[in-house]
């Protein structure tokens, strides 16, 4: 597994993973936003047939550096809410549309 940690404002963190449980420690107290993302696992569903490419979410056609690159590209975006729209008018199919409310962390005061 590969985990990515995004912090705003920036902070120095140390990971100790030699023996479970893993620990992520800061050198001082912190006030801000920490986000953690699993970047190399299937994020498209519970079966590999939902995943693109290698079956583990590593390949994303819309981004040349894969899912990790896509996460890095949008590292300053933080979802704080959203709406879901749905449509069941297509017989046995349904359509879901997620409209996320996003803040840009690098532009907050």
């Amino acid at each position: 597994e590969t985990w990515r940690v995004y912090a705003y404002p920036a902070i120095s963190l140390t990971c100790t993973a030699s023996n479970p449980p893993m620990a992520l420690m800061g050198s001082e107290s912190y006030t801000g936003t920490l986000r953690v993302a699993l970047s190399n696992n299937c994020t498209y569903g519970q079966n590999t047939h939902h995943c693109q490419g290698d079956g583990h979410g590593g390949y994303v056609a819309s981004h040349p550096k894969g899912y990790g690159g896509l996460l890095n590209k949008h590292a300053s975006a933080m979802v704080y809410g959203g709406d879901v729209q749905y449509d069941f008018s297509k017989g046995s199919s349904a359509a879901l549309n997620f409209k996320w409310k996003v803040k840009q962390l690098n532009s907050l005061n």
Side-chain angles (χ1 to χ4, degrees), residues 6-17:
Y6 301 98
Y8 185 81
I11 184 174
S12 292
L13 299 170
T14 302
C15 178
T16 57

Side-chain angles (χ1 to χ4, degrees), residues 22-50:
M22 183 197 92
L24 194 59
M25 303 287 292
S27 58
E28 56 192 54
S29 63
Y30 179 75
T31 300
T33 301
L34 287 175
R35 296 178 314 129
V36 179
L38 180 59
S39 67
N40 68 338
N41 217 0
C42 177
T43 59
Y44 302 103
Q46 303 210 357
N47 264 317
T48 57
H49 77 273
H50 292 290

Side-chain angles (χ1 to χ4, degrees), residues 45-108:
Q46 303 210 357
N47 264 317
T48 57
H49 77 273
H50 292 290
C51 300
Q52 297 180 27
D54 63 9
H56 297 287
Y59 172 77
V60 177
S62 63
H63 201 280
K65 294 183 179 178
Y67 189 59
L70 193 62
L71 288 170
N72 288 342
K73 180 180 177 183
H74 299 284
S76 66
M78 182 181 76
V79 174
Y80 67 92
D83 295 308
V84 179
Q85 295 177 340
Y86 54 89
D87 179 10
F88 296 108
S89 65
K90 296 178 176 107
S92 62
S93 297
L96 292 172
N97 186 16
F98 297 91
K99 295 193 176 212
W100 301 113
K101 295 177 182 174
V102 178
K103 291 182 182 179
Q104 293 299 319
L105 294 174
N106 55 5
S107 66
L108 296 177

